[in-house]
């Protein structure tokens, strides 16, 4: 039973990070109807920015070898700033890979490819600057907090609790913003029907940029959190997350905010339940669930019914 | 030597691009190609390293055994595609794409962990039916030529027209009496067989096979071949596969920047050529210009 609590917390914590990640996809998908394949690269950048801002030094292999920022920000501040930096990168991706195609009303498939190209450029830029080695954010950045808590006999890593806390906080804030603010409502209006939204005086271009910025912020924060709880395993580590995030997104239902959260939690818990003897199969769990759900319920768990053309 | 090896890889790229192109020709975005490529490679790797009778007594691996591998790989991949195709092809658009990515990923994780596939290390010492890259270039060239012939014949066949009709409007095609589900399934199975045959040649060519050979990156790269080259006529994917496979090698002189430039090409390609580089209209214009000259 004690063991179960540990599994539960671990599963919820990684599930919450998946949810943060998938929410970024969902925001962009709901306004544009396309998947942003550069999202994983923005996540990578969030991880690296967090590492640099807490004063981490660059290894020997990149162009920036030996660089160390002359500041060592507390983790929270670094995480927030890394999120902001990632939001900027996400805006650049929008301007370079999405806007030119949107202006021509090109097929959605094309922006999928061009965003993938943007992702390849970003990931290799990181590799060029910082080398291919892995970095880890030392947990000593969380000064004053114990490494693990003893909850009724279960050892819970503090980092896991923090992950869960931060992710939940962001999810709640995002929902409040989407449901309660003018900006959030306008965003929803654009995703419901861009033409009517424009008639009502909503600047859809600005809303799309807003969706990219928020999505980039969420990805960046998720990157920093994973960097803290596991490590930044080289520039490509966002790609694996990006792929799993895609699974989470479709599992919950494309474009659905509660769906992304539910999908993230299901995948996180399912992965935590994989016995350690079979840990090699962990990465397949999300896709096995996704595959089964798609066959039984093609629109995902909480997705809207698929529109059919008649 | 190195140039010939690059040529072989370019041929593989073109074949995989055609494998993505066939389902896309009837409007189905399937990214399962690397999964079937991996299946073909494992069939070849397992048969040639674990079944001594196939190796014969000679110095090089007999071509008849290679032919047997090709046949078996085609059968295995075709059967898998036939079984999975029905339920999967009921999905549409991006859902189909992601379900096929899920298939590739499940297969990769299984191959990475199963004992029979050699786990993370993979299978080594796959015997060589040819002395050097020249033989592989020839074999790949033949397979590519046959696949191109099949694809070009399609444009004139009932099946090919049915595929185009489904691409334009699936509902209308069904109303005209086209068995849309069957046509989509045929395209999916053909795509799987082409990818598996390519996998057999690639496993021998690379001499080793492991779970990295069929991954998500490969799904997207092969899709980029098709989008870059153009998905409306078979020449497009062939060109896209040849050029984009060669690109990182051609960009080698720029050193560390080459993957960044590669990304830039994929980023800018769809913006400059929304229809792909090769379109039926473009080809017609070129033909007219040649005639005039």
């Amino acid at each position: 039973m004690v063991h179960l609590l540990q599994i539960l917390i671990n599963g919820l914590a990684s599930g919450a990070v998946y949810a943060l990640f998938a929410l970024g996809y969902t925001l962009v998908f709901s306004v544009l109807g396309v998947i942003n394949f550069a999202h994983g690269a923005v996540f990578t950048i969030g991880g690296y920015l967090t590492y640099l801002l807490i004063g981490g030094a660059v290894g020997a292999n990149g162009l920036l070898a030996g660089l160390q920022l002359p500041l060592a920000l507390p983790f929270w501040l670094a995480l927030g700033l890394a999120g902001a930096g990632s939001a900027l990168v996400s805006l650049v991706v929008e301007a370079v890979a999405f806007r030119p195609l949107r202006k021509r009303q090109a097929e959605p498939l094309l922006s999928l490819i061009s965003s993938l190209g943007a992702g390849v450029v970003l990931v290799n830029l990181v590799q060029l600057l910082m080398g291919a080695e892995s970095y880890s954010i030392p947990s000593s950045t969380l000064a004053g907090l114990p490494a693990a808590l003893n909850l009724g006999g279960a050892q819970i890593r503090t980092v896991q609790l923090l992950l869960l806390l931060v992710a939940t906080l962001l999810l709640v804030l995002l929902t409040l913003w989407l449901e309660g603010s003018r900006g959030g409502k306008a965003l929803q209006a654009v995703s419901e029907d861009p033409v009517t939204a424009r008639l009502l005086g909503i600047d859809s271009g600005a809303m799309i940029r807003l969706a990219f910025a928020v999505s980039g912020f969420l990805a960046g924060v998720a990157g920093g959190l994973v960097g803290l709880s596991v490590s930044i395993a080289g520039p490509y580590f966002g790609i694996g997350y990006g792929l799993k995030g895609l699974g989470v997104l479709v599992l919950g239902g494309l474009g659905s905010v509660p769906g992304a959260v539910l999908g993230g939690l299901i995948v996180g818990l399912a992965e935590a339940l994989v016995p350690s003897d079979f840990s090699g199969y962990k990465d397949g769990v999300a896709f096995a669930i996704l595959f089964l759900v798609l066959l039984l319920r093609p629109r995902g768990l909480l997705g809207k019914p698929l529109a059919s053309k008649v | 030597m190195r140039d010939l090896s690059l040529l072989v890889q370019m041929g593989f790229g073109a074949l995989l691009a055609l494998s993505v192109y066939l389902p896309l020709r009837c409007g189905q975005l399937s990214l399962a190609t690397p999964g079937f490529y991996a299946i073909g490679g494992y069939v070849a790797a397992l048969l040639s390293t674990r079944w001594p009778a196939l190796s014969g007594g000679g110095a090089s691996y007999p071509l008849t055994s290679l032919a047997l591998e090709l046949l078996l790989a085609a059968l295995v991949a075709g059967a898998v595609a036939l079984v999975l195709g029905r339920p999967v092809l009921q999905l549409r658009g991006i859902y189909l794409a992601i379900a096929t990515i899920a298939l590739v990923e499940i297969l990769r994780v299984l191959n990475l962990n199963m004992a029979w596939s050699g786990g993370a290390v993979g299978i080594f010492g796959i015997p060589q039916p040819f002395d050097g890259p020249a033989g592989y270039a020839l074999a790949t060239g033949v397979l590519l030529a046959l696949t191109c012939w099949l694809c070009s014949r399609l444009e004139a066949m009932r099946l090919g027209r049915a595929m185009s009709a489904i691409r334009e409007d699936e509902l209308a095609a069904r109303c005209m009496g086209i068995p849309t589900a069957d046509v989509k399934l045929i395209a999916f199975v053909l795509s799987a067989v082409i990818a598996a045959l390519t996998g057999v040649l690639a496993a021998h060519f690379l001499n080793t096979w492991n779970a990295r050979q069929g991954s998500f990156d490969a799904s997207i790269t092969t899709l980029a071949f098709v989008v870059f080259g153009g998905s409306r006529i078979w020449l497009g994917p062939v060109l896209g596969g040849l050029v984009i496979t060669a690109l990182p090698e051609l960009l080698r002189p720029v050193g560390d920047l080459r993957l960044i430039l590669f990304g830039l090409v994929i980023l800018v390609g769809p913006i400059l050529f929304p229809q792909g580089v090769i379109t039926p209209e473009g080809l017609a214009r070129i033909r007219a210009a040649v005639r005039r000259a």
Side-chain angles (χ1 to χ4, degrees):
Chain A
M1 276 300 107
V2 167
H3 188 56
L4 204 60
L5 182 66
Q6 213 159 333
I7 290 178
L8 195 69
I9 303 265
N10 286 345
L12 286 178
S14 56
V17 176
Y18 290 147
L20 274 189
F21 195 86
L23 271 176
Y25 274 129
T26 268
L27 279 178
V28 168
F29 185 87
S30 66
V31 289
L32 280 186
V34 294
I35 287 174
N36 172 14
F37 263 119
H39 198 54
V42 176
F43 169 92
T44 297
I45 286 177
Y48 278 89
L49 280 178
T50 313
Y51 175 79
L52 285 176
L53 287 168
I54 59 163
V58 180
N61 290 321
L63 282 182
L64 299 177
L67 174 98
Q68 187 170 15
L69 294 183
L71 43 87
L73 298 178
F75 180 74
W76 305 115
L77 198 54
L79 190 66
L81 286 176
S86 308
L88 281 180
V89 173
S90 188
L91 282 174
V92 173
V93 169
E94 192 273 331
V96 175
F98 286 88
R99 205 177 306 162
L101 287 168
R102 194 168 68 242
K103 288 249 163 74
R104 294 181 204 178
Q105 304 184 322
E107 274 187 81
L109 180 61
L110 294 175
S111 0
L112 193 145
I113 297 287
S114 58
S115 69
L116 171 82
V120 172
V121 171
L122 287 176
V123 164
N124 285 293
L125 207 57
V126 170
Q127 178 149 342
L128 190 67
L129 293 175
M130 304 205 35
E133 61 259 60
S134 74
Y135 294 94
S136 59
I137 296 173
S139 48
S140 60
T141 41
L142 303 170
L145 291 174
L149 292 178
N150 197 326
L151 283 182
Q155 286 288 322
I156 311 285
R157 286 175 66 207
T158 319
V159 174
Q160 303 291 74
L161 283 179
L162 286 176
L163 235 61
L164 190 53
L165 228 62
V166 174
T168 315
L169 184 72
L170 284 177
L171 294 179
V172 170
L173 283 179
L174 185 72
T175 314
L176 286 179
W177 175 69
L178 275 177
E179 298 297 332
S181 73
R182 273 180 79 87
K185 294 256 188 217
L187 198 70
Q188 289 195 40
V190 173
S191 70
E192 199 70 41
D193 185 345
V195 177
T196 314
R198 203 153 41 237
L199 287 177
L200 293 171
I202 297 170
D203 180 353
S204 63
M207 284 301 128
I208 289 167
R209 283 192 289 281
L210 185 63
F212 269 91
V214 175
S215 136
F217 180 82
L218 294 175
V221 169
L225 287 174
V226 172
L228 177 71
S229 78
V230 194
S231 71
I232 303 167
Y236 284 88
F237 94 124
I239 307 286
Y241 259 84
L243 190 56
K244 216 176 276 176
L246 208 57
V248 166
L249 168 72
V250 180
L251 176 62
L254 281 168
S256 155
V257 170
V261 176
L262 182 68
L265 294 181
I266 289 177
V267 170
L269 281 173
E271 285 187 348
L273 284 170
V274 174
S276 55
D277 289 349
F278 295 95
S279 60
Y281 293 96
K282 225 177 194 174
D283 283 335
V285 169
F287 293 99
I289 299 176
L290 168 69
F291 192 69
L292 289 179
V293 169
L294 274 186
L295 293 189
L296 298 174
R297 195 179 158 82
R299 58 178 136 134
L301 293 173
L302 299 181
K304 289 182 198 138
L306 302 177
S308 56
K309 184 174 65 171
V310 176
Chain B
M1 280 300 256
R2 228 190 74 201
D3 294 341
L4 265 180
S5 295
L6 179 61
L7 214 56
V8 174
Q9 279 166 348
M10 287 163 66
F12 292 162
L15 280 163
L16 293 178
L18 285 172
S19 161
V20 177
Y21 159 79
L22 275 174
L24 206 55
R25 209 177 167 294
C26 46
Q28 311 301 307
L29 176 55
S30 157
L31 298 175
T33 290
F36 292 112
Y37 173 71
I39 288 179
Y42 275 111
V43 168
L46 288 171
L47 284 178
S48 61
T49 57
R50 311 255 161 103
W51 195 4
L54 277 182
S55 299
S60 62
Y61 191 71
L63 287 177
T64 43
S65 303
L66 183 67
L68 181 71
E69 284 172 21
L70 287 168
L71 184 69
L72 280 175
L75 285 177
V76 172
V80 173
L82 207 57
V83 172
L84 289 176
R86 278 270 176 226
V88 168
L89 288 169
Q90 285 176 358
L91 298 169
R92 269 152 225 281
I94 197 77
Y95 287 88
L96 173 64
I98 289 170
T100 50
I101 288 182
L103 273 182
V104 171
E105 206 49 24
I106 292 169
L107 202 65
R108 184 185 69 85
V109 170
L110 286 179
N111 288 332
L112 197 60
N113 290 287
M114 293 291 195
W116 55 264
S117 60
V121 195
I123 296 170
F124 277 97
I126 300 173
Q128 297 296 308
F130 306 111
D131 290 336
Y136 284 103
L138 188 66
T140 312
V142 170
L143 184 59
L144 181 58
L146 283 176
T147 313
C148 286
W149 176 78
L150 172 81
C151 291
S152 67
R153 283 291 301 147
L154 270 183
E155 326 265 332
M157 277 162 60
R158 245 183 123 83
L159 178 62
R161 310 237 161 168
M163 288 164 82
S164 310
I166 296 175
R167 177 182 183 152
E168 293 306 322
D169 190 332
E170 189 171 339
L171 197 65
R174 192 158 2 143
C175 292
M176 312 237 295
I178 295 172
T180 53
D182 292 340
V183 172
K184 289 196 289 186
L185 191 61
I186 293 173
F188 190 64
V189 171
L190 279 177
S191 151
V193 169
I194 294 172
L197 294 177
T198 312
V200 171
L201 292 182
H204 283 284
F205 177 70
L206 297 173
N207 188 23
T208 165
W209 201 253
N210 54 44
R212 274 195 303 280
Q213 298 301 334
S215 63
F216 165 66
D217 305 9
S219 295
I220 300 299
T221 321
T222 42
L223 178 61
F225 294 164
V226 181
V227 172
F228 184 82
S231 63
R232 290 177 50 207
I233 185 163
W234 59 274
L235 207 53
V238 172
L239 186 85
L242 293 172
V243 171
I244 297 190
T245 314
L247 204 56
E249 206 52 40
L250 298 178
L251 289 173
R252 203 166 273 282
V254 296
D256 289 339
L257 284 176
R258 75 191 174 112
L259 285 173
I260 295 182
L261 284 179
F262 177 67
L264 278 178
V265 169
I266 297 180
L267 167 63
V268 175
I271 299 171
L272 293 183
F273 304 102
Q275 300 254 356
V277 177
I278 298 205
T279 58
E281 294 80 23
L283 283 180
R285 258 203 308 279
I286 292 173
R287 244 180 248 133
V290 170
R291 221 171 290 137
R292 246 178 282 128

